[in-house]
């Protein structure tokens, strides 16, 4: 008994250890080759074919035609503009809201955990169920949002601004101009996760820095710009990268709330990709679209990482 | 003079704190109002839902909305399906991520560092690139219209981030513990299952909750792979309340949404600590 185990301890043969390692990691290896690397290669090749995904005999090699088609496709342009519009507004607004809430929670207030819970909750529970609820909030006639707006307009009208009397609130999801802003409002509602990451960063800023600034007679604004912002810049960096990656993949909201409408006003990139892949069964074209998205997301991520050397401050560097 | 300026600052500070409270309460209302609004609508008769100007609640509440909404479509089945998919995936993610994490943290094998880099690289890949090949693979395996495409991938590694979490945790466990177990004749599998996995309980819970919530809410996967509505999870089932009967049954849609939200709400309040921890682990990785 002891002899056997001692032998194992002394000389677990190298090949046996290798085998054990690969065996333990084998679920991931299967997944990596069958569901990541293999499909990546296949998807890359798909981007150069024309196929409806049914009969292998129908596969036609078309070279770079899919990419050329995407470059000329007005719907792709529309989807890219929509997605960029959504992303470049929802991410900064979400980050600003998250930072503002985190700073509010970072004040020494009683019952802070109650407020933190409320602000954080939407980002956890948000999904199809809350999307359905927001559809009803955005309803132009019977929704809460416009009820509030009409109330405010009524007060302004009473004060004497006559323009407010005839003012009509937006039709939100039903309007071409307001559909994307509606989705942005909803996305800011779900900013709680970024808020918690900011809050953790704020709580890690050493008090001594603020105390030193106080001695130098620094004001609130100056302390915020010269101490808080550099100190939390790693959190800002992380939230920015995750926000950009996430917002470029926006799908479910538009699929459920507007189906890309009205008049393609919310036709987002992934929604278009989904339509091409699973409604039109254009395997090749949709694969090319997926790779274009990959390259766009990669480019933005690398751009942020590159620029981070100039604005992200890491303690101890 | 001295006391007057002291009082002045005290008043100013209190006014500042008071306005912060007012702001915090106002914002809390803003964050809660979509859910409260839907909750109110879920208890209204249809005619009140479409009353102008709108109201938050009407009296008496129409309780029947709930049983009526849930029996309009096989809602109990939707919930059950969601549980089947979610639990199977979550268990798979915990087991396979911890096993693979153990291999990367505690076993010495050739190429480990290289494969670890590959593992980290997979985090960068957006899922859309894999969407179409996955669909064709699962279609050819005959898995379309089953839960296998939604569950099986969870058992194959469980995702780079979760593997990473387990690896980091396992790396911190002293080597003496493994050595002692080996002297007693325990195999690596036993050491993993009886020593390391129980020690990793905080990570197991964190990963479990993150995985559960993620699978409960997933939409695109079921949308692509399931076409028979009786097999729908609740995320897809809710969508049918939008379509069936022309979408005019808002009170039913809201009631069903409230019920669908309920498990998530409960889980959120029970395990906010772990959810927060998981989130901050994500953040510290960056």
């Amino acid at each position: 008994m002891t002899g056997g185990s001692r032998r194992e301890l002394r000389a677990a043969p190298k090949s046996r250890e290798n085998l054990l390692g690969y065996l333990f990691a084998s679920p991931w290896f299967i997944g990596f080759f069958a569901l990541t690397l293999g499909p990546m290669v296949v998807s890359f090749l798909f981007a150069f074919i024309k196929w409806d995904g049914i009969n292998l005999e129908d596969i036609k090699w078309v070279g770079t035609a899919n990419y050329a088609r995407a470059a000329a496709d007005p719907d792709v342009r529309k989807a890219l503009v929509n997605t960029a519009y959504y992303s470049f507004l929802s991410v900064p607004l979400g980050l600003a809201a998250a930072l503002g809430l985190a700073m509010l929670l970072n004040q020494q207030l009683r019952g802070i955990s109650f407020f933190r819970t409320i602000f954080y909750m939407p980002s956890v529970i948000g999904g199809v169920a809350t999307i359905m609820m927001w559809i009803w909030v955005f309803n132009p006639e019977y929704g809460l949002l416009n009820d509030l707006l009409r109330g405010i307009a009524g007060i302004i009208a009473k004060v004497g601004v006559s323009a407010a009397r005839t003012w009509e609130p937006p039709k939100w999801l039903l309007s071409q101009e307001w559909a994307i802003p509606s989705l942005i409002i909803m996305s800011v509602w779900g900013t709680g996760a970024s808020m918690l990451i900011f809050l953790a960063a704020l709580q890690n800023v050493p008090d001594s820095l603020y105390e030193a600034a106080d001695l130098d007679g620094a004001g609130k604004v100056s302390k915020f710009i010269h101490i808080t912002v550099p100190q939390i810049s790693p959190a800002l960096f992380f939230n920015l990268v995750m926000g950009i990656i996430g917002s470029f993949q926006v799908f479910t909201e538009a699929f459920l709330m507007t189906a890309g409408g009205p008049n393609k006003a919310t036709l987002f990139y992934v929604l278009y990709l989904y339509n091409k892949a699973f409604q039109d069964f254009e395997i090749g074209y949709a694969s090319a679209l997926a790779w274009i998205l990959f390259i766009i997301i990669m480019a933005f991520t690398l751009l942020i990482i590159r620029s981070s050397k100039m604005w992200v401050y890491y303690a101890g560097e | 003079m001295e006391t007057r300026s002291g009082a002045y600052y005290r008043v100013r500070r209190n006014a500042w704190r008071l306005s912060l409270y007012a702001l915090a309460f106002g914002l809390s209302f803003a964050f809660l109002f979509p859910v409260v609004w839907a909750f109110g609508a879920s208890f209204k008769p249809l005619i009140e839902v479409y009353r102008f100007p709108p109201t938050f609640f009407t009296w008496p509440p129409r309780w029947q909305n709930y049983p009526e909404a849930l029996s309009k479509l096989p809602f109990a089945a939707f919930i059950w399906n969601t549980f089947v998919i979610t639990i199977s995936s979550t268990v798979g993610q915990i087991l396979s991520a911890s096993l693979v994490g153990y291999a990367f943290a505690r076993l010495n094998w050739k190429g480990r560092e290289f494969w670890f880099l590959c593992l980290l690289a997979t985090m960068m890949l957006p899922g859309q690139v894999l969407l179409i090949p996955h669909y064709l693979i699962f279609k050819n395996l005959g898995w379309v219209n089953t839960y296998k495409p939604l569950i099986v991938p969870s058992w194959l590694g469980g995702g780079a981030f979760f593997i990473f979490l387990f690896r980091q945790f396992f790396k911190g466990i002293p080597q003496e513990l493994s050595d002692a177990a080996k002297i007693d004749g325990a195999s690596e599998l036993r050491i993993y299952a009886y020593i390391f996995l129980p020690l990793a309980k905080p990570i197991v819970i964190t990963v479990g909750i993150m995985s559960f919530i993620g699978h409960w809410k997933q939409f695109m996967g079921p949308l692509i792979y399931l076409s028979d509505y009786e097999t729908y999870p609740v995320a897809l089932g809710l969508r049918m309340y939008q379509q069936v009967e022309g979408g005019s049954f808002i009170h039913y849609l809201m009631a069903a949404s409230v019920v669908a939200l309920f498990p998530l709400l409960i889980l959120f309040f029970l395990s906010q600590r772990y959810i927060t921890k998981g989130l901050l682990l994500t953040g510290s990785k960056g």
Side-chain angles (χ1 to χ4, degrees), chain A residues 8 20 89 125 147-148 154 202 208 310:
Chain A
E8 264 196 32
L20 261 181
L89 271 179
I125 63 169
D147 189 41
L148 284 176
L202 285 173
S208 59
M310 295 187 300

Side-chain angles (χ1 to χ4, degrees), chain A residues 76-97:
Chain A
V76 167
R77 198 161 308 152
K78 179 91 184 151
L80 279 176
V81 168
N82 286 344
T83 309
Y85 175 25
Y86 174 80
S87 183
F88 295 155
L89 271 179
S90 74
V91 173
L93 284 177
L95 289 184

Side-chain angles (χ1 to χ4, degrees), chain A residues 191-263:
Chain A
T191 198
S194 308
M195 174 198 77
L196 278 192
I197 287 171
F198 276 135
L199 183 60
L202 285 173
Q203 284 166 346
N204 280 335
V205 181
D207 284 335
S208 59
L209 293 178
Y210 292 116
E211 283 155 14
D214 281 336
L215 287 179
D216 291 344
K220 275 203 164 102
V221 177
S222 147
K223 277 193 283 189
F224 176 75
I225 292 173
H226 296 295
I227 298 175
T228 312
V229 170
Q231 286 286 321
I232 64 163
S233 57
L236 184 63
F237 169 72
F238 175 79
N239 283 336
L240 181 65
V241 170
M242 297 313 265
I244 291 282
I245 292 176
S247 64
F248 265 89
Q249 301 182 51
V250 57
F251 170 77
T252 310
E253 296 87 332
F255 184 86
L256 287 170
M257 298 178 93
T258 56
N263 194 18

Side-chain angles (χ1 to χ4, degrees), chain A residues 17-285:
Chain A
E17 261 203 85
N18 275 336
L19 184 71
L20 261 181
Y22 278 98
L23 226 68
F24 269 62
S26 60
W28 177 72
F29 275 111
I30 298 170
F32 179 70
F33 286 108
L35 295 179
T36 307
L37 195 62
M40 249 178 92
V41 173
V42 170
S43 164
F44 185 77
L45 295 175
F46 275 172
F48 298 100
I49 64 169
K50 187 170 164 57
W51 189 31
D52 60 4
I54 298 166
N55 289 319
L56 284 171
E57 301 91 70
D58 295 339
I59 295 181
K60 255 195 296 197
W61 185 266
V62 294
T64 55
N66 286 324
Y67 287 105
R69 180 177 159 199
D73 186 342
D75 281 347
V76 167
R77 198 161 308 152
K78 179 91 184 151
L80 279 176
V81 168
N82 286 344
T83 309
Y85 175 25
Y86 174 80
S87 183
F88 295 155
L89 271 179
S90 74
V91 173
L93 284 177
L95 289 184
L99 183 57
L101 291 170
M103 287 172 66
L104 178 64
L105 293 178
N106 201 34
Q107 309 291 323
Q108 311 298 323
L109 294 181
R110 253 168 222 255
I112 218 70
S113 64
F114 167 79
F115 296 121
R116 193 186 53 215
T117 300
I118 303 262
F119 299 155
Y120 180 38
M121 189 171 61
S123 74
V124 177
I125 63 169
V128 175
T130 59
I131 286 173
M132 296 302 175
M133 296 175 170
W134 272 96
I135 292 177
W136 190 234
V137 169
F138 281 130
N139 185 291
E141 273 87 11
Y142 309 105
L144 177 64
L145 193 56
N146 274 356
D147 189 41
L148 284 176
L149 289 179
R150 276 187 295 259
I152 293 168
I155 293 168
I156 295 173
K158 273 211 186 90
V159 174
V161 183
S162 56
R165 206 161 300 149
T166 51
W167 179 75
E168 271 297 312
K171 297 220 178 301
W172 300 114
L173 296 169
L174 304 178
S175 124
Q176 278 191 60
E177 294 76 41
W178 285 98
I180 286 184
S182 308
L183 298 180
I184 292 171
I185 291 172
M186 201 179 75
S187 80
V188 171
W189 180 69
T191 198
S194 308
M195 174 198 77
L196 278 192
I197 287 171
F198 276 135
L199 183 60
L202 285 173
Q203 284 166 346
N204 280 335
V205 181
D207 284 335
S208 59
L209 293 178
Y210 292 116
E211 283 155 14
D214 281 336
L215 287 179
D216 291 344
K220 275 203 164 102
V221 177
S222 147
K223 277 193 283 189
F224 176 75
I225 292 173
H226 296 295
I227 298 175
T228 312
V229 170
Q231 286 286 321
I232 64 163
S233 57
L236 184 63
F237 169 72
F238 175 79
N239 283 336
L240 181 65
V241 170
M242 297 313 265
I244 291 282
I245 292 176
S247 64
F248 265 89
Q249 301 182 51
V250 57
F251 170 77
T252 310
E253 296 87 332
F255 184 86
L256 287 170
M257 298 178 93
T258 56
N263 194 18
K264 298 184 182 171
T266 55
L267 181 69
F268 290 126
Y269 196 86
V270 175
L271 190 60
Y272 187 60
L273 196 164
Y274 170 86
N275 289 342
K276 285 291 145 198
F278 296 103
Q279 278 170 6
D280 303 347
F281 298 105
E282 300 206 44
I283 301 296
Y285 190 44

